Amino acid sequence: MSQDVYRNKRLLVGERCAAAYCESDEPLYRHNCYIEALPPPRTPEKTSSLVGRYPVYDPKERTLPTLRRLEAVYRIAKCVFPMPDFLALEQKISRMIRNGYFARNPLDVEWRRQLNAGFPDSFKSVGDSEPIPLMRSSAASIAIIGLSGVGKSTSVESILGTYPQVIVHTEYNGTPFDQHQLVWLKLECPFDGSLKGLCMCFFEALDSILGTRYAVEYCGNRQKSTVNNLLPVMARLAAEFGIGVLVIDEIQRLNEAHSGGSQNMLNFFVELTNTFGVPIVLIGTFKAFSLFTSDFAMARRVAGQGDVIISNLQKDIYWNHFLEKLWKYQWTNVPTELSKKLNDIMYSESQGIVDIAVKLYMLAQWSVIGEEDERLTPARIREVARDNFHAVRPMLQALRLNDPDALAKISDVIPQAEHLDKFLTLSTKRVMLSGTVDKLANQDQPGLTDMVERMESPVSQIEAMLIAAGHPVSLAQEWARQAVQRHANSTDLRTATSEAFRIAAEHLLQEQGAVQQPNPMIKTTKKPKPVPLSGDLREIVKVALKKKEPAYDALKAADVIKPATEFLKLAEA
């Protein structure tokens, strides 16, 4: 098999169901088993109720333990609040799927009935023995363009989720009809931006959803698996499985070097629509916009249902509606009402980009939960944005200046989920430490063991605190390990933490040259080796007692006890 593997990292898999037919109110769609197996067209109100995602929330959860509340904040990431543009997009995709199926009725007899129902005057005389009039495919496509994080992919995925992905047909109007109908298929452009990789993603997606082995069959031979050879096969499979709409996300990844130039990319998309006869939804950032504006044929294809430009929310009633919906998901121990100042700072730091606003709200709650004062303030939100959204600032500044040229040059810089996970981990460790250090001080060893079983290891906790204080990750773990080993018999985690910071301080002094090195050319009398900053005085006393020596003499020999005359000289000076 070819070494080129382009597996979709985020392959969207939907519901599989048996066909249940409902006669369409639209005459052109009647007697088309593909269309009548779909859910009926929905009103905006019905769509809103289906695609909205409102996680469970109870104000009483404010009284939950701190760690439970930290975890609950993650529910905010699952929220989906349908906005007007969202509902308009659902209507477009609904029309695209049905219009795309119009000229692709898989049953000849039913196709004749469909034409008679839609064109009673034109095809009234058409009999079973006469040829079916040629009807050109009415497939149309749209391009959804916008900033990263404004909800392009989330909107489309939520809409697709209201349709079953695979419909299994067995019989239609008494006619045996054994068919798997693939209503929608969503792909992501491959990481290398090649058209061949995009074709291979198509076969791999079919295999994952339908349990087939087309990727092995058609992509195994490197010489035969060219774009020109794969495209006809894709067209045949699209017809065989009745694909209703093909969604291609992240099209800004298409690389001109790997794809043969922008003109070749445009030709590929035009040919894809013409050959498939399947509506195509292209999703991308403003970097992809030039693909559709430089070629009339592609622009005409894409504009079949009208281009969709999804931008950041303006500071108007829609932003207020969104933020009010979002603000109710709050797990601080005291409620913070949404004031005008908080509204203003949330918009200023997110510029109406939904993804940034959601993540900013989550980070702000994580930063205060477990503190003495858990109220959300404009200053705290600004601080969280400053500390966590470094990469996003160029995009936000371009939005503030309304500079589309600058936006077109900015790549995908939306904060990723991995960043949120790291911040939550640090917040959790901070809360765990502050809530348990005092209790550990007077516990015996069994009690400490039980506590450690419920928490992460002391080394991990101290390491996290060192990293949070700005020390290098490569050294923090070693310092934490040394500190825990030196106090292995202590039940006080605070002492081990202090020890780790002493080690770090000593390391910094050595780095800065504060610890003077002796000159090998100057003879000095041998003095007792001083105890380093990180030494344990108890160990010195313990050794002295074993040797039956006075503890005072041992401490003095270790240069820990200074003679009084030294301080008198300092005072006189």
Side-chain angles (χ1 to χ4, degrees):
M1 183 178 176
S2 170
Q3 297 297 317
D4 300 323
V5 178
Y6 299 89
R7 299 195 185 282
N8 293 270
K9 293 182 179 179
R10 293 185 61 252
L11 179 63
L12 189 65
V13 179
E15 178 188 359
R16 175 188 294 258
C17 69
Y21 306 104
C22 178
E23 185 175 291
S24 175
D25 294 333
E26 169 58 48
L28 287 175
Y29 299 158
R30 289 176 189 164
H31 305 288
N32 189 313
C33 55
Y34 280 162
I35 298 177
E36 293 189 345
L38 298 174
R42 308 178 182 97
T43 63
E45 294 77 14
K46 180 64 174 177
T47 299
S48 180
S49 66
L50 287 175
V51 302
R53 297 290 181 268
Y54 307 100
V56 63
Y57 174 77
D58 188 339
K60 294 179 181 178
E61 291 178 319
R62 296 180 187 275
T63 62
L64 290 174
T66 306
L67 295 179
R68 287 279 306 278
R69 291 187 288 126
L70 283 173
E71 186 68 25
V73 171
Y74 235 131
R75 295 182 209 167
I76 298 174
K78 308 301 181 185
C79 292
V80 176
F81 306 128
M83 305 300 283
D85 290 344
F86 190 115
L87 302 177
L89 180 59
E90 191 278 335
Q91 297 291 316
K92 290 178 181 288
I93 292 179
S94 174
R95 290 193 296 268
M96 286 176 61
I97 295 175
R98 287 171 169 79
N99 288 337
Y101 277 139
F102 167 71
R104 293 189 294 144
N105 193 324
L107 297 175
D108 289 345
V109 174
E110 299 301 333
W111 176 226
R112 297 172 188 271
R113 294 175 182 173
Q114 179 183 340
L115 292 180
N116 284 329
F119 305 94
D121 295 331
S122 300
F123 302 129
K124 187 176 298 183
S125 61
V126 174
D128 290 344
S129 60
E130 298 182 27
I132 300 176
L134 180 63
M135 297 295 291
R136 187 175 181 180
S137 172
S138 55
S141 301
I142 61 173
I144 304 174
I145 304 296
L147 293 168
S148 295
V150 295
K152 306 182 299 297
S153 299
T154 299
S155 299
V156 172
E157 289 179 359
S158 298
I159 292 168
L160 295 178
T162 65
Y163 293 86
Q165 185 175 30
V166 180
I167 300 177
V168 181
H169 300 262
T170 55
E171 182 184 41
Y172 180 76
N173 284 347
T175 301
F177 180 52
D178 187 9
Q179 173 74 20
H180 281 64
Q181 176 186 353
L182 191 60
V183 180
W184 53 266
L185 181 64
K186 182 177 182 292
L187 309 177
E188 281 193 7
C189 278
F191 58 89
D192 66 353
S194 68
L195 295 179
K196 177 182 175 182
L198 183 59
C199 294
M200 295 178 73
C201 283
F202 175 86
F203 293 105
E204 290 170 357
L206 284 184
D207 291 347
S208 297
I209 294 168
L210 300 174
T212 53
R213 291 179 55 83
Y214 293 120
V216 175
E217 182 177 354
Y218 296 108
C219 303
N221 189 315
R222 188 182 295 271
Q223 294 180 345
K224 293 183 179 180
S225 59
T226 64
V227 174
N228 290 337
N229 291 335
L230 294 178
L231 196 62
V233 179
M234 293 166 67
R236 178 176 63 79
L237 294 177
E240 180 179 337
F241 293 107
I243 297 180
V245 64
L246 177 64
V247 179
I248 305 176
D249 202 353
E250 306 291 355
I251 59 171
Q252 72 277 358
R253 293 179 185 170
L254 285 174
N255 187 303
E256 292 192 9
H258 290 91
S259 304
S262 58
Q263 190 60 45
N264 192 31
M265 284 189 280
L266 290 171
N267 293 337
F268 174 81
F269 284 124
V270 172
E271 186 66 19
L272 204 61
T273 309
N274 289 339
T275 306
F276 272 34
V278 174
I280 298 177
V281 177
L282 303 174
I283 307 174
T285 64
F286 283 112
K287 279 191 170 184
F289 193 70
S290 60
L291 288 173
F292 314 114
T293 57
S294 60
D295 186 271
F296 175 76
M298 191 61 209
R300 179 179 61 83
R301 284 283 179 185
V302 168
Q305 287 288 332
D307 295 341
V308 178
I309 306 297
I310 299 182
S311 61
N312 56 314
L313 295 174
Q314 300 303 306
K315 200 170 186 304
D316 52 20
I317 58 173
Y318 298 121
W319 164 259
N320 293 337
H321 170 76
F322 162 76
L323 192 58
E324 287 169 3
K325 290 277 189 181
L326 179 68
W327 203 261
K328 86 167 194 175
Y329 292 97
Q330 194 176 119
W331 282 273
T332 53
N333 58 13
V334 291
T336 301
E337 297 297 330
L338 179 59
S339 64
K340 185 180 183 304
K341 288 185 177 180
L342 286 169
N343 187 314
D344 291 342
I345 195 65
M346 284 290 295
Y347 189 84
S348 175
E349 296 298 337
S350 69
Q351 284 298 300
I353 298 178
V354 171
D355 189 72
I356 294 181
V358 168
K359 290 175 179 175
L360 177 59
Y361 188 48
M362 293 169 62
L363 291 168
Q365 289 196 53
W366 280 332
S367 71
V368 299
I369 290 178
E371 293 190 348
E372 184 176 351
D373 185 357
E374 292 191 2
R375 289 176 298 176
L376 296 171
T377 64
R380 176 56 65 95
I381 291 174
R382 188 179 297 278
E383 177 186 349
V384 168
R386 183 189 66 238
D387 294 342
N388 295 277
F389 291 164
H390 303 288
V392 184
R393 292 204 174 279
M395 181 173 65
L396 297 179
Q397 184 63 16
L399 286 171
R400 291 189 185 99
L401 299 176
N402 195 24
D403 187 348
D405 293 334
L407 288 171
K409 299 175 183 177
I410 298 173
S411 59
D412 188 357
V413 292
I414 292 300
Q416 299 300 312
E418 292 82 357
H419 177 79
L420 294 182
D421 290 337
K422 181 178 179 181
F423 192 93
L424 174 58
T425 300
L426 291 175
S427 299
T428 302
K429 289 179 177 179
R430 168 180 58 80
V431 169
M432 293 170 71
L433 283 172
S434 63
T436 59
V437 163
D438 293 335
K439 295 179 182 179
L440 288 173
N442 298 318
Q443 286 182 342
D444 56 10
Q445 186 64 28
L448 174 63
T449 303
D450 294 340
M451 184 64 71
V452 170
E453 288 177 354
R454 296 194 298 269
M455 300 167 51
E456 293 189 31
S457 69
V459 173
S460 298
Q461 297 176 41
I462 296 173
E463 176 191 357
M465 296 185 69
L466 289 168
I467 294 172
H471 294 293
V473 177
S474 57
L475 297 175
Q477 185 177 13
E478 177 60 22
W479 295 341
R481 186 188 61 78
Q482 292 178 17
V484 172
Q485 284 182 348
R486 291 177 183 179
H487 296 275
N489 295 325
S490 173
T491 59
D492 188 355
L493 188 59
R494 189 192 300 274
T495 302
T497 303
S498 300
E499 178 73 2
F501 277 93
R502 287 196 196 97
I503 298 174
E506 183 182 72
H507 178 82
L508 292 177
L509 287 174
Q510 292 174 349
E511 274 192 343
Q512 296 167 5
V515 179
Q516 297 182 356
Q517 300 297 328
N519 190 335
M521 302 300 294
I522 302 175
K523 291 185 177 181
T524 57
T525 57
K526 188 174 182 180
K527 294 183 179 180
K529 185 179 179 182
V531 178
L533 291 174
S534 59
D536 190 343
L537 302 183
R538 293 174 296 181
E539 190 66 26
I540 299 172
V541 173
K542 183 179 178 180
V543 173
L545 293 177
K546 282 185 177 180
K547 295 180 179 180
K548 297 183 179 181
E549 297 177 356
Y552 177 84
D553 293 343
L555 293 171
K556 186 175 180 180
D559 203 24
V560 175
I561 297 178
K562 301 290 185 180
T565 54
E566 179 179 332
F567 298 99
L568 291 175
K569 291 178 182 178
L570 291 173
E572 291 174 358

